Amino acid sequence: SAVISQKPSRDICQRGTSLTIQCQVDSQVTMMFWYRQQPGQSLTLIATANQGSEATYESGFVIDKFPISRPNLTFSTLTVSNMSPEDSSIYLCCLAGVSTDTQYFGPGTRLTVL
Amino acid sequence: EDKVVQSPLSLVVHEGDTVTLNCSYEVTNFRSLLWYKQEKKAPTFLFMLTSSGIEKKSGRLSSILDKKELFSILNITATQTGDSAVYLCAYSGGSNYKLTFGKGTLLTVNP
């Protein structure tokens, strides 16, 4: 199975700043996703990262707040913009396996916003 | 609204015990049900179930789906302290392959 890496592993940021999270996969994958897990909550899909086109966002998430890039089939970035303490979460990139329903998660980025 | 309900929310057992975790779902366009183990940050894939009555097994873990009654169970036999984690259930449905997760069951296995 593919090896997924994420950078940074964790970060502590100040309110009002932005952070870009990188997700790298060691093989080409068709579908990549970004999820968020707020403290004490379960995982929620932010968006599907589409190669070469704009990401598809879920209800409640907008491009201005969570811009996503996917320049090729092995790499994607998620930016959390103009952060507030409510953005403190674990952010996870995820890719689909042979069966698209089987999704594998990266190691995650733990973000704390002060 | 589609949803996933897991029970119990938390469970404490002793090593060697057998546990059964439950997941019920209400969805309009079901394709598959998935189980994950989350220890720190990243959920680790355990099983994907699409057909009723067919047990999936991996070592001491097994899972089965009942599409008529809309639930799944995850069994862990001879539990070990390393099984301590949050176990997440999710369904996949619709056209965008989105996974919708339950809140999880926190399993603590004491020595």
Side-chain angles (χ1 to χ4, degrees):
Chain A
S1 60
V3 176
I4 311 168
S5 59
Q6 263 186 253
K7 292 193 297 186
S9 174
R10 59 173 59 221
D11 208 341
I12 301 173
C13 301
Q14 295 298 318
R15 182 195 300 260
T17 63
S18 297
L19 176 73
T20 295
I21 302 167
Q22 298 180 7
C23 178
Q24 179 76 54
V25 188
D26 69 346
S27 59
Q28 293 185 343
V29 295
T30 304
M31 302 195 74
M32 291 179 73
F33 309 90
W34 287 95
Y35 283 81
R36 178 177 77 177
Q37 186 175 31
Q38 293 177 299
Q41 303 297 314
S42 197
L43 283 77
T44 302
L45 179 64
I46 298 172
T48 302
N50 300 310
Q51 193 263 328
S53 64
E54 192 172 287
T56 305
Y57 289 84
E58 295 297 306
S59 175
F61 297 96
V62 295
I63 188 171
D64 290 346
K65 176 66 175 178
F66 297 102
I68 288 171
S69 77
R70 189 166 177 206
N72 56 53
L73 293 177
T74 65
F75 185 77
S76 179
T77 66
L78 168 74
T79 299
V80 186
S81 303
N82 188 24
M83 289 184 284
S84 67
E86 292 72 34
D87 294 319
S88 297
S89 298
I90 297 172
Y91 291 88
L92 295 144
C93 74
C94 177
L95 58 92
V98 174
S99 161
T100 309
D101 284 351
T102 305
Q103 296 182 18
Y104 300 92
F105 288 87
T109 297
R110 186 183 299 276
L111 171 62
T112 302
V113 184
L114 303 178
Chain B
E1 182 181 327
D2 295 346
K3 63 180 180 180
V4 180
V5 178
Q6 293 187 244
S7 64
L9 291 181
S10 66
L11 187 58
V12 180
V13 300
H14 291 289
E15 268 192 318
D17 289 350
T18 294
V19 299
T20 298
L21 309 182
N22 304 293
C23 175
S24 65
Y25 60 93
E26 296 178 21
V27 303
T28 54
N29 198 8
F30 176 87
R31 276 206 309 276
S32 58
L33 189 129
L34 296 91
W35 284 96
Y36 289 85
K37 177 183 181 182
Q38 185 177 31
E39 293 178 85
K40 292 182 180 177
K41 292 185 295 185
T44 303
F45 171 77
L46 294 175
F47 299 111
M48 184 182 75
L49 304 157
T50 56
S51 301
S52 278
I54 299 175
E55 184 182 55
K56 293 275 184 95
K57 195 171 173 65
S58 176
R60 296 177 293 103
L61 278 66
S62 63
S63 184
I64 198 162
L65 175 69
D66 186 326
K67 291 172 73 172
K68 181 180 178 184
E69 299 298 328
L70 306 183
F71 77 89
S72 175
I73 60 173
L74 175 68
N75 281 319
I76 308 175
T77 60
T79 51
Q80 303 171 356
T81 56
D83 295 326
S84 295
V86 174
Y87 290 84
L88 296 166
C89 168
Y91 78 82
S92 176
S95 60
N96 67 349
Y97 301 103
K98 167 185 175 180
L99 292 182
T100 301
F101 284 84
K103 292 185 182 298
T105 294
L106 173 61
L107 174 65
T108 303
V109 182
N110 290 324

